[in-house]
Amino acid sequence: HVIGFSSPALPDLKRQGAIRTASQEALFASLMNIGGIIGSVFVGGLLDRLGRRWCLFVSVLPALLGYIFIGASRGSVHALLFGRVLTGLTCGLNAAATSIYLVEISPTSFRGVLGAFNQLGITIGIFLSYLAGAFWSYSALAWLGCCLAAGLTLCTGLPSFPESPRFLMQRRDIQTAAKVLAYLRPSHYDVQDELRDISACSDDALLPMTAPPTAGSADLAGDPSAAGAASSSSDSAASAAAAGNRRSEASADVSLRELYTRPEFSRPLVVALGLMALQQLSGINVIMFYAQDILGKTGAVSSPALGACLIGATQVAFTILAACLMDKFGRRQLLLLASLIMMLAQLTLGIFFAANSTRGYVAVVSLVLFIIGFSLGWGPVPMLVTAEIFPTRARSVANGLAICSSWLFSFLITETFPALQLHLGTGNIFFLFSAMCLAGLYFVWRYVPETKGKSLEDLELHFIGTRSSLRSL
């Protein structure tokens, strides 16, 4: 809802005289990204201190306050802009928290489907913004956003959600982690192996399996007689002390220096930063934020507001399709196909605007094709892969950094788009976006590993051991 808000709100704000200049228009559309940057800077610490579940709950609060500022602004530019920053803060916090939570609670075979639900929720919110904005004023749209934020939090019972078992293992709460896994997995599922895999990959800190048996799981302590024999030996006592030291290191916060210098962190960081940057450089948020303005320039639709609804509905439909295909064809194949479709669509848009064509239907079809391509790959996959490829210890901080880069590029592109239109022309801008889609295709082919069917622990071991191309997975 936050991402789609500016497209229907800006025309109404300009009609009412609340937004008077091109710079104010650009600020209103782009300041949400500043909030996203701020949120993503702090989300790593919140995820590691509050946990995934409570971070999700806290992330809703800035949006509630932001929409109140916008809804009650009475045309005040300062209130409108401050409200946009606050709603963007929720996006920055929620993007990382949701993707990490879904990835960490999902079984390997369904991680793609469940991980894509994050992007599906975003697209549904955008569609609701476009649909309601076609008939309602910006203030009514803001109050709708306020009600959605509060209503969904209460109706879904977010505070009662189970905590991520991997976060619990990181905090050495093995007993609760076993109970959560037994709750999340089928009744016939034995959680012992999964717990041992998680433990063995906590930065080589082999957590002792001391939790008692829980419903739906085997004895996590292993053979009781062996455990008793081990506890009586001095060698085992020394090993336990060493393991305790390793556990303390594994649960410690990861520094930025470690992210850039340790291969098991820096290698996936290159993939994550590249995916997030290229996602925004494709031009997606320009189309989302300025959908009505772009459609109006094509001259092909009598109502740009309803044309934007078509774009929103297309995005929802093909994000659902992507979720169904994610664990069948894999992340890489979807990204490669999406890059090709998006490149051709942006190239066609560039030719349309550069040639001042009167065939507006060509531009509309190209916009829809671009959204189809983005929804199949570059919408759901980057955040999913970013949440998959980092070790548990670094996942919160590294995801926050990667998503921060995404919001930064989004801000730069959406803030400069109106000015670039005047100086370069709309056609040349879409040519640049097409070139970025081509760069994305090469980056995926060369650097992005396939994560389908691999456990999070297998992916961690892959990046620790990889010396050559990241495609070797």
Side-chain angles (χ1 to χ4, degrees):
H1 188 276
V2 176
I3 294 175
F5 183 81
S6 65
S7 179
L10 276 172
D12 187 45
L13 287 165
K14 288 191 282 188
R15 281 194 299 268
Q16 296 189 27
I19 298 292
R20 298 181 179 87
T21 66
S23 61
Q24 290 178 344
E25 178 182 3
L27 274 175
F28 184 80
S30 62
L31 273 180
M32 185 210 79
N33 299 295
I34 295 297
I37 292 171
I38 297 170
S40 58
V41 167
F42 290 102
V43 71
L46 290 174
L47 283 166
D48 284 336
R49 286 162 178 77
L50 300 180
R52 282 48 164 159
R53 176 185 58 177
W54 282 107
C55 187
L56 282 169
F57 181 76
V58 169
S59 72
V60 177
L61 302 180
L64 288 172
L65 187 58
Y67 277 128
I68 290 173
F69 268 93
I70 295 173
S73 65
R74 297 177 181 269
S76 167
V77 174
H78 294 95
L80 289 168
L81 298 181
F82 184 61
R84 282 290 282 173
V85 173
L86 287 176
T87 55
L89 182 60
T90 283
C91 291
L93 294 170
N94 194 267
T98 302
S99 58
I100 289 175
Y101 181 76
L102 289 174
V103 161
E104 289 188 344
I105 68 171
S106 304
T108 300
S109 57
F110 294 104
R111 197 172 63 234
V113 174
L114 296 179
F117 276 25
N118 185 22
Q119 180 67 15
L120 179 60
I122 292 172
T123 61
I124 291 174
I126 292 172
F127 175 63
L128 289 176
S129 288
Y130 287 171
L131 185 62
F135 306 101
W136 293 358
S137 67
Y138 80 90
S139 59
L141 195 59
W143 292 119
L144 172 64
C146 191
C147 293
L148 285 173
L152 288 176
T153 302
L154 295 175
C155 292
T156 57
L158 182 57
S160 65
F161 282 10
E163 183 53 86
S164 159
R166 284 173 172 81
F167 172 77
L168 293 170
M169 290 291 285
Q170 186 183 2
R171 288 294 177 263
R172 304 194 295 279
D173 190 352
I174 303 172
Q175 188 172 21
T176 306
K179 291 179 180 178
V180 169
L181 274 178
Y183 170 76
L184 292 172
R185 302 295 184 255
S187 58
H188 63 273
Y189 186 86
D190 186 352
V191 302
Q192 182 178 6
D193 289 341
E194 186 170 354
L195 282 170
R196 284 177 173 160
D197 286 343
I198 296 171
S199 175
C201 282
S202 296
D203 281 326
D204 297 327
L206 304 179
L207 306 181
M209 308 302 289
T210 56
T214 61
S217 67
D219 184 359
L220 301 179
D223 182 6
S225 61
S231 64
S232 64
S233 68
S234 59
D235 289 344
S236 294
S239 298
N245 292 333
R246 291 194 298 271
R247 290 198 304 271
S248 298
E249 179 187 351
S251 62
D253 292 337
V254 174
S255 67
L256 289 178
R257 185 175 181 276
E258 284 182 286
L259 283 179
Y260 288 104
T261 57
R262 292 183 57 171
E264 64 267 36
F265 301 150
S266 61
R267 288 171 181 148
L269 186 63
V270 169
V271 175
L273 291 176
L275 286 175
M276 287 300 183
L278 288 164
Q279 181 190 57
Q280 295 303 323
L281 290 172
S282 72
I284 180 59
N285 274 353
V286 164
I287 291 176
M288 290 293 100
F289 289 9
Y290 298 100
Q292 290 196 27
D293 179 57
I294 295 172
L295 285 168
K297 290 181 178 180
T298 67
V301 291
S302 57
S303 173
L306 293 179
C309 291
L310 172 63
I311 289 176
T314 301
Q315 194 173 21
V316 172
F318 280 87
T319 301
I320 293 173
L321 178 60
C324 298
L325 299 177
M326 196 79 68
D327 288 314
K328 183 176 182 181
F329 293 102
R331 286 56 151 165
R332 272 174 54 86
Q333 298 303 318
L334 290 179
L335 282 174
L336 291 171
L337 175 63
S339 298
L340 184 61
I341 295 173
M342 292 160 61
M343 179 188 69
L344 295 175
Q346 294 283 41
L347 181 62
T348 304
L349 280 170
I351 294 172
F352 171 83
F353 284 110
N356 294 316
S357 174
T358 57
R359 298 178 179 179
Y361 66 88
V362 173
V364 174
V365 170
S366 297
L367 279 171
V368 172
L369 282 176
F370 174 82
I371 293 299
I372 289 173
F374 183 83
S375 302
L376 285 175
W378 283 92
V381 173
M383 278 198 292
L384 172 61
V385 171
T386 298
E388 289 178 316
I389 59 180
F390 288 103
T392 301
R393 177 189 165 200
R395 189 169 289 133
S396 300
V397 175
N399 266 262
L401 181 62
I403 291 174
C404 179
S405 71
S406 175
W407 290 117
L408 178 60
F409 278 100
S410 179
F411 171 75
L412 293 174
I413 292 169
T414 54
E415 168 65 21
T416 58
F417 177 67
L420 289 175
Q421 274 188 304
L422 294 175
H423 292 89
L424 298 179
T426 305
N428 287 329
I429 293 175
F430 285 108
F431 286 143
L432 287 174
F433 289 153
S434 180
M436 290 299 102
C437 293
L438 178 61
L441 189 150
Y442 173 78
F443 181 83
V444 172
W445 174 79
R446 181 67 178 84
Y447 295 110
V448 178
E450 180 55 73
T451 62
K452 182 195 76 169
K454 302 291 188 295
S455 72
L456 299 182
E457 290 67 45
D458 287 339
L459 292 170
E460 180 177 344
L461 292 173
H462 161 73
F463 281 107
I464 291 174
T466 296
R467 297 289 180 187
S468 56
S469 172
L470 295 178
R471 292 186 294 133
S472 62
L473 183 63

